[in-house]
Amino acid sequence: MKTVLIVEDDPINLRVFSKVLTQRGGLNVKGTEDVEEVMKIAQAGDADIILMDVSLAHSVYQGKPVDGIEITQMLKADAQTSNLPIILLSANAMERDREALHKAAGADGYIRKPIVDHQQFVDQILALLPKDD
């Protein structure tokens, strides 16, 4: 079973995303906003894809505040985690903002919150999951 790591600071969003991905996608879900834990899970290969909230209000890494863009950049810069697919999640709806965020982070995809079409949400994630050999 594939595992989705959800990096989200809103417990309601985390609960909704987890439920949708488990029930509709048949996926295993882990959730945290602890950056150390995100790095550990990613480096251990314990996630097949990451859903990364862009604006993490409380996340700190090595003593400094970081957001989802910075965490994504760190993961993409690390040879051990650079191939791990990362989808950004943001309530920022402007098309040009979406393109700028996506490009700046080096992410593999972008999903706008709130999630309205649950099946489309699941399908976008399943499409980026690595295929079994």
Side-chain angles (χ1 to χ4, degrees):
M1 182 182 291
K2 298 287 188 185
T3 298
V4 179
L5 173 59
I6 303 173
V7 184
E8 170 65 65
D9 60 356
D10 182 325
I12 294 169
N13 282 342
L14 180 57
R15 200 165 41 251
V16 170
F17 299 159
S18 296
K19 193 171 187 171
V20 169
L21 292 171
T22 316
Q23 291 180 350
R24 286 193 183 223
L27 299 164
N28 185 31
V29 175
K30 294 180 181 192
T32 186
E33 66 173 306
D34 180 309
V35 185
E36 300 283 344
E37 191 178 354
V38 170
M39 301 309 267
K40 194 163 59 177
I41 290 168
Q43 290 167 345
D46 291 339
D48 298 292
I49 193 166
I50 296 177
L51 298 183
M52 180 75 66
D53 184 22
V54 169
S55 52
L56 297 166
H58 314 291
S59 294
V60 176
Y61 187 66
Q62 298 177 340
K64 70 175 186 108
V66 292
D67 62 17
I69 300 289
E70 292 164 304
I71 299 167
T72 300
Q73 290 168 334
M74 289 188 292
L75 290 166
K76 290 298 186 179
D78 181 343
Q80 204 173 348
T81 55
S82 62
N83 291 327
L84 183 60
I86 301 175
I87 299 175
L88 298 177
L89 299 170
S90 177
N92 206 338
M94 300 294 285
E95 185 69 29
R96 72 172 180 275
D97 292 338
R98 183 177 99 164
E99 293 302 316
L101 288 172
H102 191 185
K103 198 174 198 173
D108 301 282
Y110 178 97
I111 296 175
R112 189 174 60 150
K113 295 191 286 186
I115 307 301
V116 179
D117 184 335
H118 289 174
Q119 192 58 51
Q120 182 183 24
F121 174 65
V122 170
D123 291 346
Q124 283 179 274
I125 292 158
L126 292 176
L128 281 176
L129 274 170
K131 305 295 177 246
D132 291 324
D133 295 332

